[in-house]
Amino acid sequence: MKKFLKMASPLISFLLFSLFLINSFTYLSASPRPKDKDLKKKFISGFNLGLNSPWGQNEGRPEDNNSEINFALYPDYQISPVFIPDPVKYQQLADHRPKRLRASVEFGAMWLTSAINYWSEYSKFLEDWQYRLNWHDQKIRFFTLKANRFDTNDFGLNWRHSLAGMLYYEFARSNNLPWWDSLLFSVGGSLAWEYVAEWREVISINDNIMTGLGGYVLGESWFQIGKYFLNSPRGLIRLLGWSNPLLKLNGWFARHQVISPYFNPYNYQDQDVFISVGYRNSPTSTSSGNTGNTYFHFGSRIITDECYGLPGKINETFTSPIYSQLDFSLMYHGQTQEELELEAKVVPWGRLIQNISEDRKGYSLYYGLGSAFLTYVKKPVEDYDAGKVSILDTAGFHFDQPRNFRDKLGATHILGPVFEAKYYFNRWSFRLNGEAYLSFGMINSLALNKYSLDHDVQGMKTTLTCYGYYYGLGPALGSSAEISYSPVRLTGFVNYVYYRSIQGLAELQKYITDDSVVKDSRWHSGIQLQVQLPKTDLSLFSSIEWVRRWGRLHEVSDHTLETRYYLGLKYNL
């Protein structure tokens, strides 16, 4: 181990030093922010003029279009001022420089700690060892594409790489770097890990996509959630800012600034951040028929533009995220976790057009380019499906028996056009959105279980044979519509993904004797009725969803239809 660290340390030092130089140069070359100490003291010592909506002062949302906007004085220790009369002075206080050096130090500390820990347990990954630490092998890895392959790791390990990318991204974003700079941290961190930390292994294409791009989508959604909570007009909700500890930590360094780098004046009437709990009637991993289950869900749909949905005209291009979404849900049957679903979306670039009259009639429209992330996992019933069996342990897979995999999907919707249009007519509103992406996915082969009844699955793609999933590319499409008349809201949605397996780039390609094309699709649609309880942030909801799966392997195809019924209580944060 000591010999290895001695040999690897020059590469690590060069990587971190290069990152330090790049970010330090950018930091030093940036234009300095104008300072006005007297102005700063004035704002700190006095009271600030704040703009507070009725939603900010009351527990419930405004229920009609006669709500007034009032000015109020309040101390600066609660939240930053929403309104400062002089726009020049406001810009001086709100224009915060990115902390690139601090972001690099935080990122480097985590990366190096993780790498040393990984090296100390390298013996657990013997099946991945393919390269030695010499010029011949490392020249292939660094200067050719021969080492770029899709790895053979289990599904759980592979989708969780996105969480590492989320942290890489957040180190930059929480230090006031723009989203495109932060994206370089998640992509760069992934590449550094694949080329340097995992120097014995192939350069994993799937890890770079899930960590770099998937981490960006999750990281931006996480950042927006933390910022939303930190800006809440309600003290108890502001405590939820700890759900993003990196934002709290780096915000602490900026505690003496009059306006926080993360300050954002939201129009709270057009945000939907909530937790919900309820009853779900649906199948489980061990039952084909529907049964009773407990359902938990955290969700957010955040519009960052402070004027979105308010009277006025807008026609402008945005280059920072205008929309972010994060959904995390769990289903339990008794004390057993049956399903996990994690979804995130970001729209960082596009155009916003709005025309709303004072009597709340008009429309809001944005369109642009976005990305998304999705993970869906059913509870496995076999050890090999749960990733508990190494690919070196042939006996542990029981190939003499038919396969018994459960459905799973991990996807990064790389890039695609998105739009959302919302029409207002007094207390009525109607919303429609759509999206289309090029998607990279790790999807369970639905037809594999059926195929294995009469066929030997050995010799196929390694992840397919051992873990039931394969790597694919295809389209991801989605649309939703909503009609609302306070306090009633009716929502419908439909999402579709289709994947065709990627051929010829497996890590153990030379051992594959049957590299046949595999195809799968997934439809997910539903309708929900929601009724808000008077003068509260509580709503009752009832919904029905359908999940239709189809798959094909050789001449064998299979399809399933799952119907889910929900009844629950929702609390808006």
Side-chain angles (χ1 to χ4, degrees), residues 173-426:
R173 199 72 169 99
S174 63
N175 274 297
N176 205 35
L177 273 70
W179 70 270
W180 56 84
D181 267 7
S182 304
L183 174 60
L184 294 178
F185 271 69
S186 63
V187 173
S190 178
L191 291 172
W193 187 267
E194 293 296 321
Y195 277 94
V196 179
E198 295 183 338
W199 59 271
R200 291 181 182 268
E201 306 177 23
V202 298
I203 310 300
S204 175
I205 301 172
N206 50 283
D207 284 354
N208 282 327
I209 295 175
M210 296 298 285
T211 308
L213 301 181
Y216 140 66
V217 179
L218 285 174
E220 181 62 34
S221 301
W222 188 31
F223 172 78
Q224 294 296 342
I225 280 292
K227 192 169 72 168
Y228 176 88
F229 286 146
L230 290 175
N231 282 273
S232 175
R234 294 182 287 179
L236 289 177
I237 301 302
R238 284 201 298 277
L239 290 176
L240 293 177
W242 283 104
S243 61
N244 189 328
L246 289 176
L247 201 61
K248 289 289 290 185
L249 171 65
N250 289 310
W252 181 82
F253 291 114
R255 65 191 183 280
H256 298 305
Q257 296 175 338
V258 176
I259 299 179
S260 167
Y262 318 118
F263 169 68
N264 196 91
Y266 297 96
N267 172 19
Y268 285 94
Q269 297 180 66
D270 273 278
Q271 315 303 322
D272 194 13
V273 181
F274 61 90
I275 55 174
S276 61
V277 61
Y279 169 83
R280 171 174 151 178
N281 184 266
S282 65
T284 66
S285 290
T286 54
S287 68
S288 56
N290 280 26
T291 185
N293 306 282
T294 307
Y295 174 74
F296 300 93
H297 183 199
F298 168 81
S300 70
R301 286 108 178 94
I302 297 176
I303 300 287
T304 59
D305 191 290
E306 63 269 23
C307 296
Y308 184 91
L310 295 177
K313 293 183 178 181
I314 303 175
N315 190 339
E316 61 184 19
T317 298
F318 57 87
T319 56
S320 61
I322 192 174
Y323 176 79
S324 73
Q325 175 180 333
L326 185 63
D327 288 282
F328 177 72
S329 62
L330 295 170
M331 187 189 83
Y332 283 85
H333 184 68
Q335 295 182 345
T336 303
Q337 180 184 310
E338 286 288 335
E339 287 183 16
L340 176 150
E341 187 163 1
L342 176 62
E343 184 176 8
K345 297 179 183 178
V346 176
V347 183
W349 180 89
R351 192 158 192 84
L352 171 63
I353 303 172
Q354 179 171 287
N355 188 354
I356 303 175
S357 62
E358 292 294 332
D359 57 351
R360 196 172 166 78
K361 295 180 181 178
Y363 63 89
S364 297
L365 165 69
Y366 70 79
Y367 59 88
L369 293 176
S371 302
F373 175 88
L374 172 65
T375 286
Y376 169 73
V377 187
K378 277 185 172 290
K379 177 182 176 292
V381 295
E382 300 287 351
D383 284 346
Y384 55 78
D385 193 18
K388 296 180 180 179
V389 181
S390 166
I391 61 172
L392 299 179
D393 180 15
T394 307
F397 288 99
H398 303 291
F399 287 121
D400 55 319
Q401 303 173 10
R403 300 295 82 195
N404 195 18
F405 291 107
R406 291 298 179 265
D407 204 13
K408 47 190 171 288
L409 169 64
T412 295
H413 303 335
I414 299 171
L415 188 68
V418 298
F419 81 90
E420 176 168 301
K422 191 169 185 179
Y423 178 75
Y424 305 87
F425 188 82
N426 293 327

Side-chain angles (χ1 to χ4, degrees), residues 104-116 163-168 171 193 246:
S104 298
V105 170
E106 292 173 354
F107 164 81
M110 176 199 164
W111 190 97
L112 190 56
T113 301
S114 300
I116 292 174
L163 302 180
M166 180 178 72
L167 287 173
Y168 295 156
F171 283 126
W193 187 267
L246 289 176

